Amino acid sequence: MPPGTRNLPASNRLDRGVVTFGGRNHALRATRLQLYWLCFLVFSFAYELPVIEATSMDRVNPRLFDLATIFGIIFIHPKIRRSGPLLKQFRIWQLLVLWFTFCSIAWVATYLPWDKGQFSLFYSFKYLQGLYVIYLVLRIPLAPDQKRVLHYAIVASGIFIGLYCIPEYMSGSTQRNLAGGKVIYLAPGTLLGPLGATYGHLAAWSGLAFAMALSLIRLKNPPNRWVVIALALFVAWPGLTSGSRSGLLSIVAIFGLAVYYLPGFRNRALLMAFVATLGLTVAAVNIPSIEKLRGSSRSLERLLGTEEAASSSSGFNNTILDRVGIGEDNIQGYTLEMYKWQGWLLPVIGGGFYVVPHTRNNHLVYRVGYGIHNGFLFAFEQGGLIALVLFVTFLAMCFKRLKIMKRSFTAEDASFAIGIWMFFLITLMRMWVGGPLWLSTGTENFGTFFVIVILLASRPSGPWRAPTLYNSRGPSAI
């Protein structure tokens, strides 16, 4: 029985899906329409190709996420009720988005020419759109079984992405056609799937789906564990071959975390590793050469190839050391000289919200639609010190909350949280060379999706008053 209902009349308990706290009714479950919308919202992030070519600017053409937003405005917003306080993490993210919006308006109103400033306002709008959708999601109450449904929806979306990538992998496609007749040419073996225009988007999605698939084992009545492992490997394969080195390493690291955090998975994983090692030893003469392995995975080829190139050339080679290095002459490939045009504006309102003006060869050029390849420095580049402080605060609060929620007595809460927890830990490291939490031309709306699932994992299911959790001092409520 949920906390606070023990002394209530039977009519106020669970028979009608409502519980009373202090004279107010708080729904325990989402309605059927709300749950359908949440599932559609999850799927919309797994298909980020335009649903209609309305303009030659590809980034402006509507995606399924835009349709989900419209459906939310029409069908969900009119029926939502305030069912308790919003998470503090959401409040911090809200302040960050509002600050980003202020920086965008400040740049457009004072410095940026309109043909560049419109892109700044566009990305500000996308952050505000995401903030609104996150608000709708958090206002929908979820029962434990409904949270399980969303967990399955995320894994199912990963399966859809994996299936979609098969013909792309088999054909060896080397280009992506965009609106207005534009074409992006890709290196052979690169995968984009039904997502944005960068393999980083596919790698991030695959890593998240892989972690969530493995965490199904944490459920009270999980599916067959061998089935779970098979599904996890399937949703992971695009990330292992897409062309993203960090994506490949992330999946390997998530597997290691699963062995550590999932007792039900640990013994099976060790047994499988032993059998695999024994089998490979027996069949050593048939092990494919490293060249064949490189040919089957663009990610592995890049991981090995760029490191080898570093020994035969000089300068920035996009090696792992080059990507993680920070110095006066190299910040993820961008030199401080490039930011001289901003002057004192950089620590105050950033270097130009999504339209950063750079000085190259004594000429002013603009970098539109993305930012520095460092998730932490990105916040500073786009919004100055205030944005950096807000973002680090958001990460710290999410870290603390997820750490608690993965020990929830509610199996559905614990399973959902531990999947996000594993991917979140890897993301904190991966953000040094990328920014999965941020919107960009290549990753479309994945940043919004990631924030949504983090906040869902941070929120207990059932009534808005938190259920009992377990900590080092014994059962308690948070």
Side-chain angles (χ1 to χ4, degrees):
M1 184 175 296
T5 63
R6 187 179 305 276
N7 298 320
L8 296 177
S11 60
N12 284 336
R13 291 182 184 174
L14 302 180
D15 53 336
R16 298 190 179 185
V18 174
V19 62
T20 299
F21 290 117
R24 297 181 60 188
N25 290 333
H26 299 272
L28 294 176
R29 303 178 58 85
T31 64
R32 183 174 300 179
L33 178 61
Q34 289 172 336
L35 187 60
Y36 287 163
W37 179 76
L38 287 173
C39 291
F40 177 71
L41 178 66
V42 168
F43 178 76
S44 73
F45 293 111
Y47 186 84
E48 292 265 34
L49 301 178
V51 294
I52 185 173
E53 189 173 316
T55 172
S56 60
M57 291 189 291
D58 187 77
R59 61 172 62 88
V60 179
N61 288 318
R63 268 73 175 168
L64 283 180
F65 174 64
D66 299 304
L67 293 180
T69 304
I70 294 173
F71 293 156
I73 293 173
I74 297 175
F75 300 110
I76 304 302
H77 187 96
K79 296 183 179 299
I80 62 172
R81 298 291 184 269
R82 294 193 176 187
S83 56
L86 291 169
L87 292 170
K88 293 180 180 179
Q89 297 97 304
F90 172 78
R91 297 297 188 189
I92 298 298
W93 185 260
Q94 180 183 41
L95 290 175
L96 178 60
V97 171
L98 294 178
W99 178 254
F100 273 170
T101 304
F102 169 78
C103 293
S104 173
I105 294 173
W107 272 99
V108 173
T110 55
Y111 297 102
L112 293 177
W114 175 245
D115 63 326
K116 300 295 189 296
Q118 60 182 329
F119 293 107
S120 182
L121 294 177
F122 169 75
Y123 280 100
S124 177
F125 166 76
K126 295 301 293 183
Y127 273 102
L128 290 171
Q129 177 188 1
L131 182 67
Y132 172 73
V133 171
I134 294 169
Y135 171 80
L136 289 184
V137 170
L138 294 182
R139 283 303 184 196
I140 296 176
L142 289 174
D145 61 306
Q146 293 176 324
K147 202 166 191 177
R148 179 190 290 240
V149 169
L150 287 186
H151 196 154
Y152 288 152
I154 294 173
V155 176
S157 296
I159 294 173
F160 165 77
I161 292 173
L163 291 172
Y164 192 99
C165 288
I166 292 177
E168 185 181 12
Y169 180 81
M170 298 297 292
S171 67
S173 176
T174 58
Q175 66 181 50
R176 167 65 64 88
N177 298 319
L178 303 179
K182 301 181 183 68
V183 179
I184 296 178
Y185 293 97
L186 311 168
T190 303
L191 295 180
L192 300 180
L195 303 173
T198 174
Y199 50 70
H201 191 176
L202 178 61
W205 232 115
S206 296
L208 175 60
F210 179 60
M212 293 301 284
L214 290 178
S215 68
L216 288 175
I217 295 176
R218 182 64 177 78
L219 288 171
K220 184 176 181 180
N221 296 305
N224 183 279
R225 290 175 179 176
W226 291 107
V227 174
V228 169
I229 293 174
L231 290 177
L233 292 176
F234 182 77
V235 300
W237 85 262
L240 293 172
T241 62
S242 64
S244 172
R245 294 168 295 174
S246 60
L248 186 153
L249 296 175
S250 296
I251 290 174
V252 173
I254 289 170
F255 185 88
L257 289 175
V259 173
Y260 179 79
Y261 281 113
L262 298 171
F265 173 71
R266 187 181 303 157
N267 295 336
R268 299 269 184 167
L270 292 177
L271 176 62
M272 291 177 62
F274 173 79
V275 172
T277 302
L278 180 62
L280 289 175
T281 302
V282 173
V285 293
N286 296 319
I287 295 177
S289 68
I290 189 65
E291 291 303 319
K292 290 183 178 179
L293 289 175
R294 290 174 67 161
S296 65
S297 171
R298 173 63 179 160
S299 299
L300 182 61
E301 197 282 328
R302 287 190 69 235
L303 179 64
L304 299 176
T306 51
E307 299 303 315
E308 293 168 355
S311 61
S312 60
S313 61
S314 59
F316 184 77
N317 295 293
N318 200 25
T319 66
I320 293 176
L321 290 178
D322 288 321
R323 291 294 296 272
V324 301
I326 287 186
E328 184 177 354
D329 298 325
N330 173 30
I331 305 179
Q332 314 299 127
Y334 300 96
T335 64
L336 292 177
E337 294 291 324
M338 299 168 66
Y339 293 93
K340 278 190 173 180
W341 190 84
Q342 288 85 350
W344 62 271
L345 296 175
L346 184 63
V348 179
I349 56 173
F353 187 76
Y354 274 89
V355 187
V356 178
H358 283 155
T359 302
R360 291 180 185 269
N361 300 323
N362 296 322
H363 291 88
L364 193 63
V365 297
Y366 294 88
R367 176 161 47 83
V368 178
Y370 61 97
I372 196 169
H373 296 311
N374 182 301
F376 302 99
L377 294 179
F378 180 93
F380 176 74
E381 181 189 51
Q382 302 298 316
L385 288 172
I386 291 180
L388 178 61
V389 171
L390 289 173
F391 182 55
V392 171
T393 302
F394 173 78
L395 293 177
M397 295 177 69
C398 290
F399 181 89
K400 180 179 179 181
R401 187 74 174 190
L402 290 173
K403 187 177 180 180
I404 295 174
M405 284 300 299
K406 68 185 178 68
R407 302 194 301 269
S408 173
F409 279 174
T410 304
E412 289 78 5
D413 286 344
S415 175
F416 199 101
I418 201 169
I420 300 302
W421 166 255
M422 292 189 294
F423 186 70
F424 183 77
L425 289 181
I426 299 303
T427 299
L428 291 179
M429 295 181 286
R430 189 180 176 189
M431 280 178 58
W432 200 254
V433 295
L437 271 161
W438 305 116
L439 307 182
S440 73
T441 302
T443 58
E444 303 300 340
N445 298 292
F446 182 80
T448 297
F449 174 54
F450 193 15
V451 173
I452 287 175
V453 293
I454 288 175
L455 296 182
L456 281 176
S458 301
R459 188 188 70 171
S461 56
W464 68 263
R465 281 190 178 182
T468 300
L469 305 178
Y470 179 83
N471 58 31
S472 58
R473 298 179 181 177
S476 63
I478 59 170

